[in-house]
Amino acid sequence: MTQPDPVPQSTVEVTGGVDTHKDTHTAAALDAAGRTLGTAQFPTTPAGYAALLSWLRGFGTLMLVGIEGTGVYGAGLALCLRVAGVALVEIDRPDRKTRRWQGKSDPVDAEAAARTALAGHRTGVPKHRDGTVEALRLLRVARRSAVAGRADAQRRMKALVVTAPDTLRSVLRELSDRRLIDLCATRRPDRAAAGDPTVAAVIALRALARRHQQLSIEIDELDALIAPLTEAVNPTLCGLFGVGPDVAGQLLVTAGQNPDRLRSEAAFAMLCGAAPLPASSGRTHRHRLNRGGDRHANCALHRIVLCRLRWDPRTRAYAEKRTAEGMSKKEIIRCLKRYVAREVYTALLSPRPSSTPAIPSAA
């Protein structure tokens, strides 16, 4: 650990940078001119967070701290610094060219985070992780895992039916998915005869069917918690056409507890991967699909668009107009997702419905 320089603390404006890890955080301190004041390592405990903050303030007036990974290993430190009133920014990972040029170590990464925060390059306001939206995110993590597990169990059941012995396959192959699960879950195979392929197939199908049913119960229980939470956090968003509890929950989690951290609706569209990127060169002027951003949020916007294309007369009229102009269905959906992103952003900033009549959807 390096010690502060013998400079009057009242005259030094300090910018900190933190490289976060599971067990330790490495911090670096810079002055206003970008000179390194020191680096140090601290444990990832409440006492360690307090020591890190005290160490940074020991160099002078702490102006800003840049943290890499505020949503994972740096979540606890970010909360501690925010409660202490410290200005925070989230730092993106250095690009590969910079990493190759300056090497890789925890002090080097911490110093790079501090320099990035000082320059204001590739920074953003971190999400607040101490409110209802964070609770919603945690519930959605469990739900997404249960949905994936249930779908995997159903796929494996269908695959087992295809390869099962003929006597068993002839009975199960024509059943619907629901009937197949119900039937297999109630079978009572002779476990002593598990060496027989037919009996083993029945045992395997029974286990997968019961897993499917148990995961369905978990999903229903989580949905019963998620739906009222989304309505309580942002009833305006839940009231938009095509926005159900699952879609609303994902969009709320993407924006965070503090959606005002997003500078504009264009920034929110870029975050969701719904902002087209310029791909022009010479006499060619065009845009291409944005494949970055939060893909779960992009999927939520896609589901809203599909719902409106089926049920919303204004969206259907828009699609017909664009089709007549020669646009493909994919291009129309891309445009509609951009419109929906603008509408969702407005709802995120105005969580409570107003008494004035609502403005019609841009889609």
Side-chain angles (χ1 to χ4, degrees), residues 136 140 230 234 237-238 243-253 300:
L136 185 61
R140 285 186 51 78
T230 56
N234 197 315
L237 178 63
C238 295
V243 178
D246 186 55
V247 168
Q250 178 58 59
L251 295 172
L252 288 171
V253 169

Side-chain angles (χ1 to χ4, degrees), residues 29-115:
L30 305 179
D31 63 12
R35 293 185 292 263
T36 302
L37 300 176
T39 60
Q41 192 175 80
F42 302 90
T44 56
T45 61
Y49 303 152
L52 187 152
L53 176 58
S54 176
W55 179 81
L56 287 174
R57 285 176 169 169
F59 291 99
T61 303
L62 184 58
M63 306 299 295
L64 182 68
V65 176
I67 302 177
E68 182 180 336
T70 60
V72 281
Y73 292 141
L77 176 62
L79 177 59
C80 176
L81 296 181
R82 183 168 66 83
V83 171
V86 178
L88 300 176
V89 291
E90 183 170 8
I91 306 299
D92 290 343
R93 291 181 59 189
D95 56 58
R96 293 183 179 181
K97 180 179 179 181
T98 302
R99 190 177 290 273
R100 285 196 301 267
W101 174 71
Q102 64 185 10
K104 174 74 174 71
S105 71
D106 293 347
V108 167
D109 288 347
E111 184 177 335
R115 296 191 183 281

Side-chain angles (χ1 to χ4, degrees), residues 85-155:
V86 178
L88 300 176
V89 291
E90 183 170 8
I91 306 299
D92 290 343
R93 291 181 59 189
D95 56 58
R96 293 183 179 181
K97 180 179 179 181
T98 302
R99 190 177 290 273
R100 285 196 301 267
W101 174 71
Q102 64 185 10
K104 174 74 174 71
S105 71
D106 293 347
V108 167
D109 288 347
E111 184 177 335
R115 296 191 183 281
T116 301
L118 183 62
H121 180 57
R122 302 196 320 273
T123 62
V125 179
K127 294 180 182 179
H128 294 174
R129 298 186 177 274
D130 56 349
T132 308
V133 174
E134 175 65 9
L136 185 61
R137 183 188 71 85
L138 297 173
L139 294 175
R140 285 186 51 78
V141 169
R143 184 187 187 278
R144 187 182 300 120
S145 175
V147 170
R150 183 176 66 175
D152 181 68
Q154 183 170 316
R155 286 192 299 267

Side-chain angles (χ1 to χ4, degrees), residues 70-300:
T70 60
V72 281
Y73 292 141
L77 176 62
L79 177 59
C80 176
L81 296 181
R82 183 168 66 83
V83 171
V86 178
L88 300 176
V89 291
E90 183 170 8
I91 306 299
D92 290 343
R93 291 181 59 189
D95 56 58
R96 293 183 179 181
K97 180 179 179 181
T98 302
R99 190 177 290 273
R100 285 196 301 267
W101 174 71
Q102 64 185 10
K104 174 74 174 71
S105 71
D106 293 347
V108 167
D109 288 347
E111 184 177 335
R115 296 191 183 281
T116 301
L118 183 62
H121 180 57
R122 302 196 320 273
T123 62
V125 179
K127 294 180 182 179
H128 294 174
R129 298 186 177 274
D130 56 349
T132 308
V133 174
E134 175 65 9
L136 185 61
R137 183 188 71 85
L138 297 173
L139 294 175
R140 285 186 51 78
V141 169
R143 184 187 187 278
R144 187 182 300 120
S145 175
V147 170
R150 183 176 66 175
D152 181 68
Q154 183 170 316
R155 286 192 299 267
R156 292 180 184 277
M157 288 187 66
K158 301 291 284 188
L160 284 179
V161 170
V162 171
T163 59
D166 292 337
T167 54
L168 184 61
R169 184 172 69 250
S170 60
V171 176
L172 302 178
R173 65 188 306 176
E174 301 300 332
L175 298 178
S176 64
D177 293 342
R178 181 179 295 276
R179 179 57 182 158
L180 173 65
I181 292 168
D182 292 341
L183 178 62
C184 291
T186 57
R187 298 294 292 270
R188 296 183 177 275
D190 182 8
R191 302 178 67 87
D196 180 25
T198 301
V199 177
V202 173
I203 294 173
L205 288 169
R206 178 174 178 263
L208 290 170
R210 293 192 171 187
R211 183 185 306 170
H212 187 285
Q213 292 178 336
Q214 181 59 39
L215 289 174
S216 295
I217 294 173
E218 289 184 17
I219 293 170
D220 292 340
E221 292 175 348
L222 290 168
D223 284 341
L225 298 173
I226 290 173
L229 275 181
T230 56
E231 182 68 30
V233 173
N234 197 315
T236 301
L237 178 63
C238 295
L240 296 181
F241 195 105
V243 178
D246 186 55
V247 168
Q250 178 58 59
L251 295 172
L252 288 171
V253 169
T254 298
Q257 187 74 38
N258 50 331
D260 54 314
R261 70 190 182 90
L262 303 170
R263 298 184 301 274
S264 64
E265 52 91 10
F268 176 71
M270 182 65 73
L271 175 62
C272 296
L277 300 177
S280 302
S281 178
R283 297 182 179 180
T284 301
H285 299 279
R286 69 182 186 90
H287 289 77
R288 69 171 177 85
L289 186 66
N290 185 350
R291 300 187 183 279
D294 187 335
R295 303 316 299 174
H296 292 297
N298 189 279
C299 179

